[in-house]
Amino acid sequence: MGQHPLHNLRRYNAGEIAQYYRYRPWKSFWRTFRIVLAFLSFFLGLKLDDWRNVEATTRLKRAEQLRETLTRLGPTFIKVGQALSTRPDLIRKDFLDELVKLQDQLPPFPTEAAFTIIETELERSVDEVFSQISPDPVAAASLGQVYQARLYSGEEVGC
């Protein structure tokens, strides 16, 4: 499978992004459908718990479901969850406790994708830049992850 055309953008360019999606409306519709379906499933689960009078016993399960849903939907939704995790005035405690996990307990994305991003940014292969690089990330966050690496000069770096 080829590299996504938008990965070649060196800077944010709203015009190029709009042009790409203008001829691919199904991508926007599909993404919207997935988002709506994810939240509809979550809210229906909450409502079913309420109707069956089991809300008290399923609170932790629903909080975990919300965190997993936000994680699955990607970085934008993770950021929203992180922001909500700092608002005890808006979010009930069981959800808050689960959303706090979005601050520092995120799963990494595939190393192959990360190396592709590194190579695109540096315009060189990973092997050309680093004499060593960890096969797995040493840290992961909503918008990136960190690998331990060594330059050919011997200097240790995080990338």
Side-chain angles (χ1 to χ4, degrees):
M1 183 176 213
Q3 187 178 21
H4 193 288
L6 294 178
H7 287 183
N8 294 325
L9 288 178
R10 299 299 297 155
R11 291 190 181 350
Y12 175 77
N13 184 321
E16 283 190 45
I17 294 169
Q19 181 73 17
Y20 176 81
Y21 285 107
R22 182 173 294 121
Y23 299 106
R24 295 165 182 83
W26 64 90
K27 289 185 178 256
S28 296
F29 293 136
W30 178 246
R31 176 69 172 155
T32 302
F33 175 74
R34 288 181 50 215
I35 292 167
V36 169
L37 186 62
F39 284 109
L40 185 61
S41 170
F42 173 72
F43 288 117
L44 281 175
L46 284 175
K47 200 62 180 162
L48 278 172
D49 293 346
D50 185 40
W51 290 336
R52 295 181 351 204
N53 291 321
V54 294
E55 187 182 54
T57 60
T58 59
R59 282 178 168 249
L60 295 177
K61 175 184 167 190
R62 293 296 170 209
E64 184 176 325
Q65 181 187 7
L66 175 60
R67 179 186 49 79
E68 289 172 352
T69 297
L70 294 174
T71 301
R72 193 172 47 256
L73 289 174
T76 301
F77 290 90
I78 291 169
K79 285 293 182 194
V80 169
Q82 288 172 337
L84 288 173
S85 76
T86 66
R87 298 296 308 267
D89 57 323
L90 297 177
I91 305 295
R92 63 187 209 198
K93 183 168 178 11
D94 51 336
F95 282 26
L96 198 68
D97 291 342
E98 199 62 34
L99 292 178
V100 164
K101 294 177 182 177
L102 294 174
Q103 299 289 350
D104 61 4
Q105 296 179 26
L106 291 171
F109 56 89
T111 294
E112 180 180 297
F115 283 12
T116 298
I117 292 168
I118 292 169
E119 289 174 347
T120 300
E121 289 295 313
L122 298 177
E123 297 179 344
R124 295 168 61 196
S125 74
V126 169
D127 292 335
E128 287 178 82
V129 178
F130 306 107
S131 63
Q132 289 180 306
I133 188 165
S134 59
D136 298 311
V138 293
S142 57
L143 298 177
Q145 53 197 33
V146 178
Y147 291 84
Q148 186 174 2
R150 183 180 306 275
L151 299 175
Y152 283 101
S153 66
E155 182 181 1
E156 287 192 18
V157 296
C159 61

